[in-house]
Amino acid sequence: MEDRIKIIRQKMEKLGLDGVYLTSRTSHRYFTKFDNEDGVLLVTKDNTYAFEDFRYTEVAERLLKNVYTVIQPKGKRTEWLGEILKKESIERLGVEDYSLSLYEHSLLKSDVNVNLVPIGNMIGEMREIKDSWELEQIEKAQIITDMAFEHILGILSTDITETDVAAELEYFMRKHGAEDKSFETISISAEKTSLPHGVPENVKLKKGFFTMDFGATVNGYHSDMTRTVCIGKADDEMKKLYNTVLRAQLSALEYLESGGLDSKEADSIARKIIYEDYEGYFGHSLGHSVGLEIHEKPALSPKSSGLLKVGNVVTVEPGIYIPSRYGVRIEDMVAIEERGIKNFTMSPKKLIEL
Ligand SMILES: [Mn+2]
């Protein structure tokens, strides 16, 4: 926790800020390692305050006491905040403009006598580089995800429904240590697989492609995996489609594994392979970063610029989607390392016919 506060103080100095007021739930969790959707933090040059309501003050005091002054705020937010800001002689206060509501901004402007300075993606940029504890949480989340995939393969048939599969995946993950699912589970069959973010329905699986895109969270950190399998036998056209996606995915992974760091290039390697025969049928980016949020920066996309850094965790998830017929996506999640990558995803990728 102290390291992160040190970094934020360095950034404050660069921007000439006397303090930073953190209001997003994700920032709260990032800086305190515990979740309180209403908790807010204030970092000044010399002090660090955690404002935690009654429900959380006991746990906050236990977890944070050496690093933060825990305050149980009472009354109007601008009053208790204003008091501390005055005591600390804050003139320029950094605020999280991505999450601060217009309502709260106007309250601050009218009630608190400080200059509000937007800090933009400052905290997001800090979160792009995962430390070893964060990587461990992501790995744990992916291990649970892989276990759930193995488990579900024994259950898939034309006798169960898409929503059954989603419920079973989520229940299994919870039973095996997940705090929660990572996002709304995608579990879609046959022609619905052409929808990259199709919603599971109470309908039985049909023969053909079946796509599952799901993950778990551990200590707030997400995993993200997609596998497409075939219920029954795949015909030659389906095999060609599947193997094109697989080839695109493996090529992009190979690029990263060999030390390639150009995020746009990674996307373009996969995209070129798909566009040889399926131009126009891969409408999304190759990947996104994952952490305390399911979609973080940097992305691997045609619009990306810049190089990946050691400690980034990104997905590699090419897909081909033929409208009203079917689609295939294969997604792994990898960490960028000093030499190459660590692929967290262990689930098999050769076409599985059930
Ligand atoms: Mn993803």
Side-chain angles (χ1 to χ4, degrees), residues 105-116:
H105 181 258
S106 57
L107 279 185
L108 283 172
K109 273 196 98 158
S110 62
D111 296 2
V112 180
N113 188 25
V114 293
N115 289 321
L116 302 173

Side-chain angles (χ1 to χ4, degrees), residues 249-267 269 307-308 340-341:
Q249 206 238 13
L250 293 174
S251 305
L253 287 172
E254 217 175 274
Y255 168 74
L256 299 172
E257 175 63 41
S258 70
L261 293 171
D262 187 326
S263 44
K264 187 177 178 172
E265 177 67 9
D267 178 279
I269 285 168
L307 299 179
L308 294 165
I341 53 173

Side-chain angles (χ1 to χ4, degrees), residues 124-142:
E125 275 165 24
M126 287 175 67
R127 285 176 28 222
E128 287 180 8
I129 311 288
K130 273 73 180 175
D131 65 24
S132 58
W133 183 81
E134 292 179 289
L135 294 171
E136 263 169 47
Q137 310 317 305
I138 292 170
E139 181 167 27
K140 280 183 195 161
Q142 182 52 41

Side-chain angles (χ1 to χ4, degrees), residues 213 224 288 295 315 317 331:
D213 184 352
D224 192 0
H288 55 90
H295 291 131
T315 65
E317 49 176 313
E331 173 180 30

Side-chain angles (χ1 to χ4, degrees), residues 3 5-15:
D3 294 359
I5 293 168
K6 215 169 144 185
I7 294 173
I8 207 171
R9 286 205 173 109
Q10 287 164 0
K11 290 181 183 279
M12 274 164 53
E13 207 183 326
K14 265 194 201 151
L15 295 170

Side-chain angles (χ1 to χ4, degrees), residues 291-303:
L292 280 172
E293 291 178 294
I294 184 63
H295 291 131
E296 298 187 352
K297 287 175 186 164
L300 308 179
S301 106
K303 284 182 260 161

